[in-house]
Each structure stands twice: as C-alpha cells, then as structure tokens.
Amino acid sequence: MPDDQPSDAYRCGQLYAALEALQTLADVDFRSLSRPESRQKAAKRPRPEMQPRLWESGRYLDKARMKGRGPAAGAVFRSIPSLMPSTRHLPDTLSGDQQKEFEQGRQAQVEAIGEESADH
C-alpha cells in the first residue's frame, strides 16, 4: 500500500462491511451480505456484487430508521463516501492477493463499526 493509502481492494472490503452493517441494522435478509458465500463473491467481483447494494443503501438507512436504529445506521451511512475506492467505479474483479486485502479491509471496518457502536 503505497503512501500509507489503503488499496482499492482494501477499501472495497471496508465498503462491504459498511453495507453489511446497514443491511443488518435494517433487518434486510434478502441475499444477506453476512453470508460467507456473499462475501466471497464480492471479494472476487466487487462491482457486480456490491453496486446494487450500494444503490440500496438509502433504503437500508430508511428501514433501520423505521426500526429505531437511525443514529447507528446514519453513522454507517455517512462513512460510505470515505470508504469508496479511488477509481471511478468499483473494480470488476480482484486477484487472489487483492481478495486477501478485501478481507483485511472488511475485518478492520467491522471492528471500527463495533468500536463506534460501543462508544454510543
């Protein structure tokens, strides 16, 4: 990771964790992002797997708000722009090493979201 900037693969993992958290807060279970097979697909092919969920993030936010989880969902939702890859689009595919970076980014963001939730 040159210049201490996270790679796009790492950022995709972070973004995935945020979308996963929003989906969980909204109690949306349709093709849940928390399933291991969903995570593996997204690690291999971020754009086709994550783009529709990114488009649905506003709906997740609204559903979470309706369930009384608005503040937590709002914090996750507001983090999304900073987690986006530096490229114009999400990558179509990631190599084996990039898939490992994706998982590292996801884990780091899951921990960050957990710490943020614990502080409130």
Side-chain angles (χ1 to χ4, degrees):
M1 289 184 234
D3 301 327
D4 290 337
Q5 293 295 318
S7 69
D8 283 346
Y10 188 92
R11 284 178 181 252
C12 282
Q14 290 179 297
L15 177 60
Y16 187 91
L19 294 172
E20 182 180 6
L22 274 175
Q23 195 180 62
T24 299
L25 288 164
D27 281 336
V28 176
D29 195 23
F30 179 69
R31 294 188 304 184
S32 174
L33 294 173
S34 61
R35 293 182 185 152
E37 59 271 15
S38 296
R39 189 169 38 246
Q40 290 169 350
K41 282 182 177 180
K44 289 179 184 175
R45 303 194 66 221
R47 186 174 183 189
E49 297 298 323
M50 293 171 53
Q51 191 74 51
R53 279 30 170 255
L54 188 57
W55 291 335
E56 294 175 3
S57 61
R59 185 172 64 93
Y60 299 157
L61 174 64
D62 187 50
K63 283 187 174 263
R65 184 186 61 80
M66 298 298 279
K67 293 180 181 292
R69 301 176 187 141
V76 173
F77 186 81
R78 286 188 299 276
S79 74
I80 289 175
S82 66
L83 304 176
M84 295 295 291
S86 62
T87 57
R88 183 173 178 193
H89 298 287
L90 296 172
D92 285 323
T93 59
L94 296 177
S95 69
D97 286 342
Q98 289 173 317
Q99 290 173 37
K100 290 176 186 171
E101 289 179 42
F102 177 99
E103 186 54 36
Q104 291 168 348
R106 185 191 158 277
Q107 271 305 119
Q109 194 63 27
V110 165
E111 292 171 14
I113 290 169
E115 290 172 7
E116 176 73 21
S117 296
D119 290 343
H120 292 113

